[in-house]
Amino acid sequence: MLTGIRLVSEAAELAARRHTGQQRKARPNEPYVNHLAEVACLLSAATNGEDAELVAAGWLHDTLEDTETTREELTQRFGLRVAGLVEECTDDMSLPKNERRGRQVADAPKRPPSAKLIKIADKVSNVRARIFANPSGEQREDLADYLAWAEQVVAGCRGVNAALDALFDEAVANAGSAM
Ligand code: ZN
């Protein structure tokens, strides 16, 4: 089984390849892999580089939801813990958006601690991506809508890692002054 730098590097490589051609929803000029790199870096910094599996799961956290990747493939290549963490971060895409959002809020407090960290890092990255210097009306609305929901999800994930909690609060404060 892969460990350490090899585990993280192969996770990054697979994620980059699988998300090829995808853009960030809030910033269509940015490749999707920028979001994955940001989430992985946030997790790595918050845990002082001590949890390679968590960082690998950060790179891979959207592969089940947004690409052809399967849980079996992740288990084989990266192990049960990484695959399980990615699954914890995967919405049931057969449900309508509002219901998926509601489930994320309801399920957040029940998630294992490491999955909560990925959830918060994901929301930090997605809030930051919605902050613009001169937002249009539509961008303002999208930020307000995203923020109201993200705060509810993060409320159920707090208390595992103070640094990550603080980064989310900082992103919310920056968003507030950008609206
Ligand atoms: Zn994500």
Side-chain angles (χ1 to χ4, degrees):
M1 190 57 67
L2 295 168
T3 56
I5 290 173
R6 285 208 58 201
L7 176 78
V8 172
S9 302
E10 296 210 12
E13 195 274 340
L14 183 75
R17 199 148 34 81
R18 292 289 159 88
H19 288 277
T20 297
Q22 295 179 5
Q23 276 79 36
R24 303 194 68 177
K25 275 155 232 143
R27 290 184 180 258
N29 58 336
E30 259 193 48
Y32 201 81
V33 70
N34 288 18
H35 165 64
L36 306 171
E38 186 177 19
V39 168
C41 278
L42 285 164
L43 293 167
S44 166
T47 55
N48 198 28
E50 280 164 11
D51 191 345
E53 288 178 343
L54 177 69
V55 177
W59 275 107
L60 295 164
H61 79 275
D62 284 325
T63 50
L64 294 180
E65 199 170 292
D66 294 337
T67 79
E68 298 294 292
T69 309
T70 63
R71 166 147 190 171
E72 292 66 42
E73 188 181 11
L74 294 180
T75 305
Q76 264 184 2
R77 291 195 57 183
F78 304 106
L80 271 174
R81 178 168 174 242
V82 172
L85 284 172
V86 175
E87 190 153 63
E88 293 275 353
C89 297
T90 303
D91 284 354
D92 180 350
M93 296 306 280
S94 68
L95 299 172
K97 184 177 172 185
N98 275 345
E99 195 162 329
R100 292 201 307 268
R101 282 185 158 194
R103 287 206 180 184
Q104 277 205 36
V105 174
D107 293 343
K110 304 175 218 156
R111 303 269 180 219
S114 299
K116 289 179 175 174
L117 297 186
I118 301 174
K119 282 275 163 201
I120 298 176
D122 188 45
K123 298 301 182 263
V124 169
S125 169
N126 287 337
V127 169
R128 286 177 177 171
R130 285 171 169 78
I131 297 174
F132 296 93
N134 293 299
S136 67
E138 202 179 319
Q139 285 169 339
R140 259 177 238 270
E141 219 170 275
D142 179 52
L143 174 59
D145 173 63
Y146 190 86
L147 212 51
W149 171 65
E151 289 195 271
Q152 292 180 61
V153 176
V154 171
C157 297
R158 281 182 192 274
V160 182
N161 184 292
L164 217 44
D165 292 353
L167 282 176
F168 180 76
D169 293 334
E170 188 185 303
V172 171
N174 290 337
S177 42
M179 287 192 290

